[in-house]
Amino acid sequence: MRSAFRNWRVLVIVAVALIMCSGCDVQRRKSDAELGLNTQQAGGRRLYDQYCDRCHEPYSSRDKKARSLQGVFKKQFLPESGMPANDERVGEIIVTGRNMMPAFGQAMSQQQVQDLLAYLHTL
Ligand code: HEC
């Protein structure tokens, strides 16, 4: 009897948690393997988390401090600047910055920029 009561309480707690979270868009973070990332792309993802994630969403079209980078290389042109969406232009933006976006040429090596670009191609 007592354990049945306890189970019932657990159910209520779970139900309340589910209801509270049904409106929130916090999604479980996918692992590198689930995203099918190779070693280079996974390294780029860690750089992204460290340097880019605070301003750009990778897996949602929602804007943060700046535009989402979801599908950034899937279109021909970048949404904000209208520049061609290729490694050259995006690499340049990362290294030298642009308007309100800081430059990361000091923080990252050329190899790291390449790793980051490889990851951005998976978005
Ligand atoms: C402090 C916030 C901030 C951080 C951190 C940041 N960005 Fe940006 N980013 C911006 C802003 C603001 C713009 C828009 C610049 C402009 O006016 O064209 C931008 C633009 C861009 C663009 C061009 C978008 C377009 O449509 O033209 C790319 C690509 C980009 N960022 C990638 C990155 C990457 C990769 C990183 C991590 C290395 C990063 N950003 C880190 C704020 C940020």
Side-chain angles (χ1 to χ4, degrees):
M1 189 63 204
R2 177 167 287 164
S3 88
F5 178 67
R6 205 179 291 146
N7 285 342
W8 179 80
R9 263 203 323 203
V10 168
L11 266 180
V12 169
I13 291 167
V14 169
V16 168
L18 278 177
I19 290 164
M20 276 167 51
C21 216
S22 64
C24 69
D25 62 357
V26 176
Q27 276 176 13
R28 192 181 63 83
R29 182 181 163 88
K30 289 203 172 119
S31 71
D32 294 346
E34 281 174 303
L35 292 168
L37 303 182
N38 65 29
T39 315
Q40 184 187 25
Q41 294 158 345
R45 185 189 194 193
R46 267 178 287 288
L47 294 165
Y48 188 95
D49 290 342
Q50 191 177 347
Y51 296 118
C52 322
D53 189 69
R54 67 190 160 106
C55 293
H56 299 281
E57 281 283 356
Y59 296 117
S60 145
S61 57
R62 201 158 40 93
D63 295 337
K64 256 182 185 171
K65 287 202 184 110
R67 299 254 195 172
S68 152
L69 291 181
Q70 187 179 42
V72 60
F73 280 119
K74 303 277 190 298
K75 298 194 195 83
Q76 205 181 344
F77 299 103
L78 298 172
E80 181 76 32
S81 60
M83 295 203 293
N86 58 35
D87 282 16
E88 220 185 328
R89 291 284 86 78
V90 172
E92 193 176 276
I93 292 172
I94 294 168
V95 169
T96 61
R98 200 184 140 80
N99 298 328
M100 296 299 286
M101 172 163 157
F104 292 93
Q106 301 292 318
M108 271 185 269
S109 69
Q110 277 185 1
Q111 183 58 54
Q112 286 179 314
V113 173
Q114 291 309 313
D115 296 351
L116 180 56
L117 286 170
Y119 170 64
L120 293 177
H121 276 278
T122 71
L123 299 182

